[in-house]
Amino acid sequence: MSETKLYDVAVIGSGPAGMTAALYAARAGLSVALFERMMPGGQMAETEKIENYPGFPEGVSGYDLALSMSQQAARFGVEEVAEEVERIDLSAEPRVIATPYRTVEAKAVIVATGARPRKMDLPNNAELEGHGISYCATCDGNFFRGKKVVVIGGGDTAAADAIYLSRVCEEVTIIYRRSQLRATRVYHDVLEGLANVRFEWDSVVEEAYAYDGKLSGVRIRNVQTGEQKELSCAGMFVAIGTVPNTEFLAGALPLDEGGYIVAGEGCATSVPGVFAAGDVRAKSLRQVATAVADGANAAEAAAEYVAEHR
Ligand code: NDP
């Protein structure tokens, strides 16, 4: 049997937080394993254009930024492991990280597993995913070229999705449970100027209709008046926030009520040598800029921990 490999730092998750943590740790002279179950970049890689990450006056594609971050980390010797971490043992010294294919050990662990889209509470939600219900406008928008779609939510993701979809779809209806978007101001003006974007304020989706196995429409209810109406649509883009990817921790770290890992700005959790960075950490602002900041802080703290435990 092959020997279990020991790293100074294991970084779990290769979104902007994980890739920055891996880069900083590798540049600090540490051996680093970076685990990622899918492609590098996390949610960032699915973002068509990021306009608020400094250094890109015209904005940058999330996919391109993810690729650049990944190449930069690799240049400094980060070992990327394209496997999903299923289990970690944080009580062991060194810590144990297990994927379906291997088990490694690490002196310090940085959890940067991010978050995934929250789903709608509709009985036929699962059947319609991939058949009209989508969580990624830039990935799936093209399937609905020239058709009517709805976007659920009122945050930045919903606003950015609606703007993107307005370019490919016949009509985009934003269905939001309040009377004014909570998205950043800059989006409001853009949306108001788009002729094929309309709003259903104070409204929630009560039912999704299917025809021939595909989404064909929704029934919505106005929460102020109780009035119900049906809208025909081929696509429903769900942008109602995120749920943290913390299930694999199985109680190994304290979480807040939303399931996010409790750790301060320095990213230290209550378990020595274990850090949380990026969207998976309990915090108020989840952006690429705050994720990379977390990554740097977590790597710095991990390097200190490793130096003290040589
Ligand atoms: P948010 O949590 O900001 O918004 C979620 C939206 O979904 C809210 O409008 C919320 O309504 C609504 N919602 C939540 N649950 C339900 C439900 N069960 N049914 C119907 N509606 C629901 O998530 P986002 O994904 O928009 O943004 C996450 C983070 O990413 C934010 O920090 C955001 O700023 C950032 N982001 C930034 C971008 C940018 O700056 N360009 C682009 C995309 C994301 P309510 O308001 O009533 O709570």
Side-chain angles (χ1 to χ4, degrees):
M1 220 173 89
S2 63
E3 245 176 71
T4 305
K5 195 162 177 185
L6 173 67
Y7 294 89
D8 291 320
V9 184
V11 179
I12 307 173
S14 76
M19 288 197 282
T20 307
L23 169 71
Y24 271 65
R27 281 177 51 83
L30 305 179
S31 59
V32 183
L34 174 61
F35 291 87
E36 172 56 47
R37 65 177 163 181
M38 287 186 281
M39 59 185 284
Q43 297 183 95
M44 172 177 75
E46 294 185 351
T47 305
E48 187 206 17
K49 198 172 184 191
I50 298 170
E51 290 195 316
N52 56 359
Y53 188 68
F56 298 92
E58 303 303 324
V60 58
S61 112
Y63 179 83
D64 290 348
L65 189 55
L67 200 63
S68 302
M69 286 187 187
S70 176
Q71 288 165 345
Q72 194 176 1
R75 182 157 80 85
F76 288 97
V78 170
E79 267 182 56
E80 290 194 17
V81 184
E83 293 166 21
E84 177 166 8
V85 172
E86 289 192 332
R87 187 179 57 80
I88 57 175
D89 184 352
L90 300 181
S91 59
E93 284 277 3
R95 320 296 182 188
V96 177
I97 297 101
T99 78
Y101 311 103
R102 74 182 84 194
T103 298
V104 306
E105 293 176 333
K107 295 175 190 166
V109 175
I110 297 173
V111 180
T113 43
R116 60 180 183 276
R118 176 176 289 126
K119 299 189 173 189
M120 299 282 286
D121 189 15
L122 296 167
N124 52 355
N125 194 76
E127 287 115 87
L128 292 177
E129 283 176 348
H131 303 280
I133 294 186
S134 168
Y135 305 94
C136 179
T138 53
C139 319
D140 299 335
N142 243 328
F143 296 128
F144 303 95
R145 187 164 284 277
K147 298 185 172 159
K148 288 184 179 176
V149 298
V150 297
V151 172
I152 319 298
D156 284 337
T157 302
D161 283 0
I163 293 167
Y164 176 79
L165 292 166
S166 72
R167 292 188 224 125
V168 283
C169 301
E170 182 197 348
E171 183 183 80
V172 180
T173 303
I174 297 179
I175 301 171
Y176 183 37
R177 63 187 181 185
R178 296 182 200 276
S179 55
Q180 197 186 4
L181 294 182
R182 77 139 87 152
T184 313
R185 189 69 234 171
V186 69
Y187 284 128
H188 296 219
D189 303 335
V190 177
L191 284 168
E192 275 158 25
L194 293 171
N196 63 341
V197 174
R198 50 186 296 280
F199 299 87
E200 290 289 351
W201 300 115
D202 298 312
S203 296
V204 293
V205 175
E206 296 265 291
E207 196 178 344
Y209 300 120
Y211 179 76
D212 214 8
K214 290 184 182 156
L215 181 78
S216 59
V218 290
R219 176 166 57 83
I220 62 171
R221 179 174 57 86
N222 185 303
V223 292
Q224 299 294 342
T225 62
E227 187 202 340
Q228 307 214 17
K229 66 169 113 155
E230 292 177 0
L231 307 176
S232 72
C233 60
M236 170 156 69
F237 288 85
V238 180
I240 60 171
T242 53
V243 183
N245 295 317
T246 46
E247 291 83 358
F248 75 103
L249 293 169
L253 290 175
L255 307 177
D256 72 1
E257 67 284 350
Y260 293 89
I261 301 173
V262 178
E265 290 298 310
C267 299
T269 70
S270 58
V271 178
V274 180
F275 307 88
D279 281 10
V280 77
R281 182 172 77 81
K283 55 153 99 176
S284 56
L285 186 60
R286 294 191 168 86
Q287 302 273 299
V288 178
T290 61
V292 301
D294 272 12
N297 282 324
E300 183 72 11
E304 260 173 49
Y305 178 85
V306 170
E308 284 165 11
H309 293 80
R310 285 239 179 252

